[in-house]
C-alpha cells in the first residue's frame, strides 16, 4: 500500500493533525466542563445565599470574596480533600473549587496527551522534552499545595 493510499484510508489526515485535533478537543472539553461546574456553583451560591460554610447576605458582596474562616462568612476550602468533600455535600464554594481544579488540570492533561502521542510516533526527543515539561508542571503543582 502506498503512502497516499494509506493516508486516504485514514481520511487524509496526517498523524500530527490528528494529534492536534484530539488535543484541541481535550482542551475545549476541559474548559467547557470546568466552566459548567463553576457556573453551577455560582448559581447555587446565588440561589441559596450560602457559601456552604456560612450564610451571606445578598448585599454583602465583600463577604463573598473573603477567603478565611476567621475573617468572615466567605470561607473557601483550600485542600483537595476539603474541596472534594464539600463538593460531594453540595457546598457552592467547594463546587466552584472543583471547577477551578479541573480548569487548572486541563493544560496538564494536554501535556500528558502530547507525551502519549509522541510515544506512539516513537519520537524520542519530543517524548523526553514533553516528559520534562510534564514533570516540571506536576512538581510546581505539588510544591504550590499547602
Amino acid at each position: 500500500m502506498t503512502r497516499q493510499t494509506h493516508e486516504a484510508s485514514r481520511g487524509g489526515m496526517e498523524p500530527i493533525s490528528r494529534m492536534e485535533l484530539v488535543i484541541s478537543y481535550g482542551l475545549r472539553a476541559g474548559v467547557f466542563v470546568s466552566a459548567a461546574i463553576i457556573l453551577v456553583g455560582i448559581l447555587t451560591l446565588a440561589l441559596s445565599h450560602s457559601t456552604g460554610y456560612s450564610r451571606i447576605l445578598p448585599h454583602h458582596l465583600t463577604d463573598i470574596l473573603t477567603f478565611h474562616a476567621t475573617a468572615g462568612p466567605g470561607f473557601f476550602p483550600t485542600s483537595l480533600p476539603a474541596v472534594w468533600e464539600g463538593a460531594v455535600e453540595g457546598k457552592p464554594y467547594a463546587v466552584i473549587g472543583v471547577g477551578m481544579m479541573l480548569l487548572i488540570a486541563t493544560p496538564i492533561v494536554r501535556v500528558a496527551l502530547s507525551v502519549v502521542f509522541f510515544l506512539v510516533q516513537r519520537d524520542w526527543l519530543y517524548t523526553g522534552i514533553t516528559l520534562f515539561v510534564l514533570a516540571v508542571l506536576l512538581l510546581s503543582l505539588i510544591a504550590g499545595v499547602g
Side-chain angles (χ1 to χ4, degrees):
M1 182 189 287
T2 66
R3 181 182 166 119
Q4 290 174 333
T5 308
H6 186 65
E7 285 178 9
S9 68
R10 293 185 309 185
M13 288 188 132
E14 291 289 327
I16 280 292
S17 63
R18 184 175 295 157
M19 176 181 83
E20 291 169 350
L21 188 62
V22 169
I23 288 173
S24 72
Y25 285 146
L27 287 171
R28 283 186 213 160
V31 169
F32 286 137
V33 170
S34 65
I37 292 171
I38 291 168
L39 184 61
V40 166
I42 290 171
L43 290 174
T44 306
L45 174 70
L47 295 173
S48 69
H49 302 292
S50 173
T51 65
Y53 299 94
S54 64
R55 291 195 52 80
I56 55 172
L57 297 174
H59 61 279
H60 288 158
L61 291 179
T62 56
D63 289 344
I64 294 174
L65 301 176
T66 306
F67 295 128
H68 300 287
T70 58
F75 173 73
F76 196 92
T78 56
S79 69
L80 295 177
V83 170
W84 184 251
E85 288 171 18
V88 169
E89 294 171 10
K91 297 180 177 181
Y93 266 15
V95 172
I96 293 168
V98 168
M100 295 302 293
M101 288 190 313
L102 182 60
L103 188 62
I104 291 168
T106 300
I108 297 171
V109 171
R110 182 253 188 266
V111 174
L113 279 173
S114 295
V115 169
V116 171
F117 283 117
F118 288 135
L119 279 171
V120 167
Q121 292 177 352
R122 297 178 186 256
D123 191 337
W124 308 122
L125 176 64
Y126 282 110
T127 299
I129 292 169
T130 311
L131 277 171
F132 176 75
V133 170
L134 183 61
V136 169
L137 284 171
L138 292 175
L139 285 174
S140 64
L141 182 67
I142 292 167
V145 173

